[in-house]
Amino acid sequence: MRIARFVQDSDPAFGVVDGDEGREEIAVIKGDPFFSGVQLTGERHKLEDVRLLAPIIPRSKVVGIGKNYADHAAEMGGEVPPAPLMFLKPNTSVIGPNDPVVLPSFSDEVSYEAELAVVIGRICKDVPLDRVDEVIFGYTCANDLTARDAQRTDNQWARAKGFDTSCPLGPWIETELDTDDLAIRGYLNGQLVQDGNTGDMIWGVKELVSYVSQAFTLLPGDVILTGTPAGVGLISDGERYDVSIEGIGRLSNTARS
Ligand code: MG
């Protein structure tokens, strides 16, 4: 099931996206599916008649994972870390499909990073590997935008990874997905620049959720970014970046200064 958040002419609402590609519709959900499950109101819209928002604004945090693909660790000139390397992006970094990425004035080197995002469905802590499935709500596409110059000069990555608009999410959350072997691709102005597979993650989704939950209590709507494959590069004013993940869909955002 694909769960989106959208506005039509009223307040933001959640909905279930169905139908064939190019002719999708959205069935409106009553309330918040993270807390009250999926109850439909009976109201439907054509997808093209609504504006999609970030499918979730995390209640508390986006947890990022650095260097989780060996080919990306190599292109950054580093080794794979001995354990997952974590950082945080504030929920104010989250934007939705087609929202502009506003390039921060303190950086001349903003990079795109196509990533699979895990959306947490229930409060949890110290989740054992064999119970991770119980705490996942679903999956969406993410772009972990990073100011490389600030990443080099600052010991902490808060500014480099956490600036406003640095975390596009969308277009919706797919709740049923096997993440073992999914093509993950990134396109700069329509040109393929990242071409990876989730099967090449060093730590898979289960390991990451379990590991992250040893440090942080995870809340419904929290998001874990699972790292980017090779092919990262810079994005500048007016350029568009699309993240496409097999079984989910395509997230597109244009940068502006
Ligand atoms: Mg990343």
Side-chain angles (χ1 to χ4, degrees), residues 65-67 72 87 113 115 144 146 161 225 227-228:
I65 302 293
K67 297 183 180 171
H72 172 63
F87 57 88
E113 296 188 354
E115 308 204 4
D144 173 25
T146 304
K161 293 259 189 199
L225 307 182
T228 195

